[in-house]
Amino acid sequence: MASEQLNVTRIPLRFTSDARRVITRLFLPGEPPRLREIIDLVLQLDEPEVERLLGEVNEFFAGRHHDLASTFRSHYQRVAEYLPEGATLSDERQLLMGAYFTNEYSFESAALFNPSLVPHPYQDGVPPGSIRFLMSLRATGEGHVSSIVFRCGTIDAAGYITVAPVSPYARSLKPAEDQINEKQSFFEKLIEMGAYNDTVGDVLDMLPDRFTDDLVDRALDQLAERDPQPPLLDESAESLRWLARSDYLLRLPENTCPSEIVIFPATENESRGMEDMRLVRFVDDDGTATYHGVYTAFNGFRVLPMLMTTTDFRPVAVTPLHGRYVQNKGLALFPRRLNGWYAMISRFDGRNLFVMRSKNIRFWNEADRICGPIFPWQYVQVGNCGSPIETPKGWLLITHGVGPMRKYCIGAALLDLNDPARVIGQLREPLITPTQAERDGYVPNVVYSCGSMIHRDRLIIPYAMSDSATSFATVRVAELLDHLTNQAPS
């Protein structure tokens, strides 16, 4: 087969999990009676013992975290409601109390995989002909809970890849408490969810055009006081609170290295993991560049496609996606509008590729089928491996296919620039197949990517090996496009 003659170069770089990388989490070992027991025991300690124990904690843990004292204070505040009435604690005792309700979590102890690559938002100081990149990865730790982490590095003029050192610290970003909801968008989402009713309308009437989560709670309380038994109050309250907390804003501390960032599940929708972010540098019609990342939130029962949006990775906005075709995993945005419309690749039926279009980046109700599995190595399903990449000959779409024994391979297709539902060509054989050295891992026989980029004359493909580790492969763009334009679809 012609595609077998493509010269794909594997780069001898490998990202592997590191159990030493940890974040702090709130630790609540039981129901309120158990929490009160722990609190009472700490209250019984005399001050010298409090100081000694706090010193031991700091000596053992402080070198692994930024500002551990702030974490302890925050976690102390989370349990302060269980203190005996009138209790007064010294600063040291508050910190020690917070330490008892804190634990370390090794967020990438199990795996580091499914990467997505984009140009870094800051290119200052990069040598001529080189480019700095930012790469997101899926990190998996205890309990198979997934979070989103980042690495950065440079690709020089010759295609040589250098990865920046990883920070010894990690920061789990917390949602801002002053997140603002836009009333019109909120209303549209409720309609889409099928959650709008007269009771919901009464609550919305009490809210201003822009409101925070706590205003939703106040409006619900006011409604209950006015009418003790409004119809569907419990169901309406659940929908309103769920939606108000689905959107959130993450803020990074100043001078944060990208490798320190851990976007850890922050809502109930994400409680079992945040999976497979597909990053894209989106350039709007006015030239404004925005970074979007589409990922899957999982709560143990259902998946919910989510959109991360930022211009510089300082504030990061997160919101759910809605629409009849926002189903399943593997959504990837195009890097620009198509004739005024946002466009996105999806596999909402679990088997075929579609292109979706929308005027609103959050709502997706129009879709056209692109193609389905046509080659033996993709008979089970075909999907994307990241956002389409624009070339003079068409949209280059890196794909994945699943074949016998659930073996995942990476392929490629070329879509028409003006009508991406039209396939110009597809590789009949995989571009990357798991080798003997890559086939063993948490999920065996898998190579997979969530986003590639072109630098000069090379396509740089970061790819995961069997859901365990990550590496790179490169291929000459001209050679790949030549193969694709000479392999028209059957």
Side-chain angles (χ1 to χ4, degrees):
M1 294 291 182
S3 60
E4 292 178 324
Q5 301 169 11
L6 275 167
N7 183 25
V8 177
T9 302
R10 281 172 161 84
I11 306 298
L13 278 174
R14 183 169 291 198
F15 296 85
T16 56
S17 57
D18 185 350
R20 296 171 298 178
R21 305 202 72 222
V22 291
I23 56 175
T24 56
R25 297 176 66 188
L26 179 67
F27 174 56
L28 300 176
E31 297 300 318
R34 175 78 184 282
L35 306 184
R36 290 190 179 95
E37 288 178 2
I38 298 170
I39 288 170
D40 289 342
L41 290 169
V42 177
L43 290 175
Q44 293 172 25
L45 297 170
D46 59 34
E47 283 300 324
E49 183 70 355
V50 167
E51 293 177 9
R52 185 186 68 80
L53 290 171
L54 182 61
E56 287 182 355
V57 170
N58 285 330
E59 182 178 0
F60 196 71
F61 292 100
R64 292 156 66 96
H65 304 279
H66 279 294
D67 197 5
L68 195 55
S70 292
T71 298
F72 290 162
R73 287 192 180 92
S74 174
H75 292 176
Y76 163 74
Q77 292 297 329
R78 296 287 295 273
V79 299
E81 64 180 295
Y82 303 116
L83 287 168
E85 187 175 353
T88 302
L89 281 66
S90 67
D91 186 57
E92 289 78 8
R93 196 180 297 268
Q94 290 182 22
L95 293 174
L96 182 62
M97 188 79 74
Y100 276 97
F101 296 102
T102 302
N103 75 301
E104 284 190 334
Y105 180 82
S106 181
F107 57 89
E108 62 178 52
S109 57
L112 191 63
F113 59 117
N114 290 4
S116 184
L117 197 67
V118 291
H120 197 288
Y122 302 107
Q123 296 293 329
D124 296 346
V126 176
S130 299
I131 190 169
R132 182 177 290 125
F133 66 80
L134 182 72
M135 182 168 66
S136 66
L137 299 113
R138 176 178 169 187
T140 301
E142 177 187 352
H144 199 70
V145 176
S146 297
S147 54
I148 298 165
V149 300
F150 299 90
R151 298 289 187 273
C152 56
T154 58
I155 308 168
D156 71 11
Y160 184 80
I161 300 173
T162 303
V163 179
V166 177
S167 171
Y169 299 104
R171 300 175 186 260
S172 178
L173 304 186
K174 301 294 192 297
E177 295 181 358
D178 56 350
Q179 169 65 21
I180 301 296
N181 294 284
E182 300 288 343
K183 189 172 182 177
Q184 181 61 35
S185 177
F186 200 80
F187 167 73
E188 291 173 357
K189 290 180 195 177
L190 288 164
I191 295 292
E192 183 69 44
M193 292 163 56
Y196 188 85
N197 55 44
D198 290 343
T199 299
V200 168
D202 289 342
V203 174
L204 289 182
D205 288 343
M206 300 180 192
L207 296 172
D209 290 340
R210 303 176 78 246
F211 57 90
T212 55
D213 298 354
D214 63 316
L215 289 183
V216 174
D217 292 329
R218 291 183 200 174
L220 286 165
D221 291 342
Q222 291 173 18
L223 181 63
E225 290 174 4
R226 191 175 70 194
D227 182 357
Q229 292 184 320
L232 301 173
L233 176 60
D234 290 342
E235 180 181 330
S236 300
E238 181 179 355
S239 297
L240 286 162
R241 288 182 173 126
W242 177 88
L243 185 56
R245 289 164 174 76
S246 294
D247 285 24
Y248 58 89
L249 189 69
L250 301 169
R251 289 197 177 98
L252 275 68
E254 290 293 327
N255 302 316
T256 301
C257 171
S259 67
E260 294 179 13
I261 301 169
V262 183
I263 302 181
F264 198 77
T267 68
E268 177 59 32
N269 296 325
E270 303 166 344
S271 58
R272 299 304 302 167
M274 309 165 77
E275 303 178 357
D276 303 346
M277 177 178 282
R278 285 157 165 80
L279 274 179
V280 65
R281 183 178 182 271
F282 182 91
V283 180
D284 218 328
D285 294 342
D286 62 1
T288 302
T290 304
Y291 288 83
H292 294 296
V294 183
Y295 68 92
T296 301
F298 182 56
N299 67 0
F301 303 99
R302 65 172 182 170
V303 298
L304 178 66
M306 302 287 289
L307 177 70
M308 183 201 80
T309 301
T310 184
T311 56
D312 58 5
F313 289 88
R314 293 294 177 241
V316 176
V318 179
T319 186
L321 295 174
H322 298 276
R324 62 181 296 193
Y325 295 121
V326 178
Q327 308 292 331
N328 219 299
K329 301 181 178 183
L331 304 176
L333 275 164
F334 280 69
R336 63 172 174 84
R337 295 178 192 257
L338 304 184
N339 298 318
W341 293 69
Y342 291 103
M344 186 151 56
I345 299 290
S346 82
R347 194 190 66 224
F348 63 82
D349 68 349
R351 191 164 187 265
N352 301 281
L353 282 173
F354 295 81
V355 59
M356 305 190 300
R357 294 178 178 84
S358 177
K359 290 290 187 178
N360 186 326
I361 198 170
R362 297 183 179 186
F363 294 87
W364 300 85
N365 292 303
E366 296 188 26
D368 295 309
R369 184 177 179 275
I370 299 174
C371 63
I374 58 176
F375 305 121
W377 60 274
Q378 54 177 215
Y379 276 174
V380 175
Q381 70 182 41
V382 63
N384 72 73
C385 275
S387 293
I389 302 170
E390 190 167 8
T391 76
K393 293 188 177 182
W395 292 105
L396 175 60
L397 181 66
I398 306 304
T399 64
H400 71 264
V402 183
M405 295 294 289
R406 197 171 173 257
K407 180 181 177 183
Y408 275 69
C409 298
I410 293 175
L414 193 64
L415 312 178
D416 186 87
L417 281 177
N418 297 313
D419 179 14
R422 187 175 78 84
V423 179
I424 297 172
Q426 297 184 67
L427 295 184
R428 295 186 177 91
E429 296 294 327
L431 186 65
I432 303 175
T433 299
T435 65
Q436 289 295 326
E438 298 168 342
R439 66 178 302 183
D440 295 321
Y442 189 83
V443 180
N445 309 306
V446 172
V447 287
Y448 194 86
S449 179
C450 289
S452 307
M453 62 180 276
I454 290 176
H455 177 54
R456 298 172 72 88
D457 62 343
R458 290 177 176 83
L459 175 68
I460 314 296
I461 307 171
Y463 69 99
M465 299 169 284
S466 300
D467 280 19
S468 295
T470 294
S471 190
F472 291 94
T474 67
V475 62
R476 297 279 182 177
V477 174
E479 184 181 358
L480 176 58
L481 293 178
D482 182 61
H483 276 71
L484 286 166
T485 52
N486 287 312
Q487 294 189 23
S490 301

